Amino acid sequence: MIKAIAVDMDGTFLNSSGDLEMLALANESYAMKNGSKEVLKTAKYTAPSNDEDSVLRMIESYLYE
């Protein structure tokens, strides 16, 4: 079964310390494994690096769980 998702501030995928405010606003926040230390500490979850199709992999895992 595939879940429907809405694009809003429910989830963010970020890797730069300039994105910390956006991470704080999101219900579900993901830092890329190769992101800055501040982002990795702030995000709720860690996703694979952005060189590993991380956003696609995380969305697929959510949709197909």
Side-chain angles (χ1 to χ4, degrees):
M1 176 190 250
I2 297 177
K3 295 179 185 179
I5 58 173
V7 178
D8 57 20
M9 285 306 293
D10 277 347
T12 58
F13 294 87
L14 303 166
N15 64 358
S16 168
S17 58
D19 300 324
L20 292 175
E21 287 183 35
M22 196 177 308
L23 280 175
L25 293 173
N27 293 327
E28 301 294 325
S29 55
Y30 295 82
M32 301 301 104
K33 182 171 67 174
N34 60 332
S36 71
K37 289 181 183 181
E38 295 96 346
V39 170
L40 288 164
K41 284 182 190 178
T42 305
K44 192 179 231 182
Y45 305 104
T46 301
S49 78
N50 52 7
D51 295 327
E52 301 174 70
D53 297 327
S54 55
V55 174
L56 174 63
R57 290 173 56 190
M58 299 307 294
I59 291 172
E60 285 178 339
S61 71
Y62 174 79
L63 291 175
Y64 296 106
E65 67 177 20

